[in-house]
């Protein structure tokens, strides 16, 4: 759930405004930078988000500062809070999964990858909470994968997203039926001041874990313990 929520938020903020005319092969970070420039997206801000998945609402907060992203999110499965830090480092990104309750973190290196350019549709305007917003739809279609996201961008929030609706269809294995999900993200309380650098570093007293499984509650590490 953590990776899904972060994916949706970052996709909407950075990728949902692609220029369909820009068709050459690009890495994900190159695409994000071009979108930010072409559509005037902010690179330094913080925002509260509510991700609505089915009947579940997940509260989260995203903080960005010029290539660094911190996401704080309620973990409804384990009843705690998880922090992820994504730091762009040239051709490789660093992704930290941070567990404050345990004072542990897991580090992943994420190599740059080439991404296909999605289709963008300008849908005119829609009034949302009394503000006339620009409405755009992004459709990202790949093999066994389709992501369609419609987003409202508010001029009162420096043209940043205020609401997005995503329909995702994905085939997880050959021959299996497509798995379909729908999500809504609502963005509130934008703050465009510059966050402190300490928000993007690991505290000195935290220990590096060998894997995500090490940071799971004991009953999830031992499936037999979950049996009645």
């Amino acid at each position: 759930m953590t990776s899904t929520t972060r994916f949706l938020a970052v996709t909407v903020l950075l990728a949902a405004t692609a220029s369909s005319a820009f068709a050459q092969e690009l890495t994900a970070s190159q695409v994000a930078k071009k979108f930010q420039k072409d559509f005037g997206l902010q690179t330094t801000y913080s925002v509260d988000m509510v991700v609505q998945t089915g009947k579940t609402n997940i509260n989260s907060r995203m903080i960005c500062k010029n290539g660094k992203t911190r996401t704080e999110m309620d973990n409804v499965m384990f009843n705690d809070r998880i922090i992820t830090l994504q730091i762009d480092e040239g051709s490789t990104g660093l992704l930290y999964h941070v567990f404050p309750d345990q004072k542990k973190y897991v580090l992943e290196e994420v190599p740059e990858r080439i991404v296909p350019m999605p289709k963008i549709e300008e849908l005119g305007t829609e009034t949302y909470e009394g503000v006339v917003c620009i409405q755009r739809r992004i459709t990202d279609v790949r093999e066994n994968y389709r992501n369609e996201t419609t987003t409202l961008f508010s001029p009162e929030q420096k043209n940043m997203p205020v609401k997005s609706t995503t329909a995702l269809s994905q085939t997880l294995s050959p021959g299996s039926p497509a798995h379909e999900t729908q999500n809504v993200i609502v963005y509130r309380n934008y703050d465009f001041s510059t966050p402190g650098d300490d928000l993007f570093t690991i505290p000195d007293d935290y220990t590096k874990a060998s894997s995500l499984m090490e940071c799971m509650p004991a009953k999830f590490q031992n499936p037999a313990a979950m049996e009645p």
Side-chain angles (χ1 to χ4, degrees), residues 43-111:
T43 61
T44 299
Y45 61 91
S46 60
V47 62
D48 294 329
M49 301 180 297
V50 178
V51 181
Q52 304 167 357
T53 303
K55 296 183 179 180
T56 302
N57 287 351
I58 301 175
N59 296 311
S60 62
R61 181 170 180 79
M62 187 157 64
I63 305 168
C64 297
K65 184 178 181 180
N66 299 326
K68 300 178 181 180
T69 303
R70 175 189 177 103
T71 306
E72 305 171 357
M73 185 177 60
D74 291 342
N75 187 333
V76 294
M77 181 177 292
F78 301 143
N79 194 30
D80 60 8
R81 195 161 179 82
I82 290 180
I83 296 172
T84 60
L85 304 177
Q86 182 169 340
I87 314 295
D88 291 339
E89 294 283 352
S91 61
T92 301
L94 302 179
L95 184 62
Y96 296 86
H97 304 274
V98 185
F99 299 83
D101 290 349
Q102 303 179 50
K103 292 189 174 182
K104 290 183 179 181
Y105 69 93
V106 179
L107 172 61
E108 290 184 53
E109 293 188 3
V110 184

Side-chain angles (χ1 to χ4, degrees), residues 27-48:
T27 65
S29 62
Q30 288 173 330
V31 170
K33 290 176 182 178
K34 179 171 175 59
F35 300 163
Q36 289 171 335
K37 179 181 178 180
D38 288 355
F39 292 92
L41 296 179
Q42 305 301 305
T43 61
T44 299
Y45 61 91
S46 60
V47 62
D48 294 329

Side-chain angles (χ1 to χ4, degrees), residues 4 53 166-170 179-183:
T4 300
T53 303
T166 296
L168 178 64
S169 177
Q170 186 171 15
H179 179 69
E180 298 184 356
T181 58
Q182 293 187 344
N183 304 277

Side-chain angles (χ1 to χ4, degrees), residues 5 8 27 44 114 118 122 188:
T5 302
L8 288 169
T27 65
T44 299
I114 301 297
E122 297 287 344
R188 299 191 184 280

Side-chain angles (χ1 to χ4, degrees), residues 130 136 178 191:
R136 297 186 177 100
D191 182 348

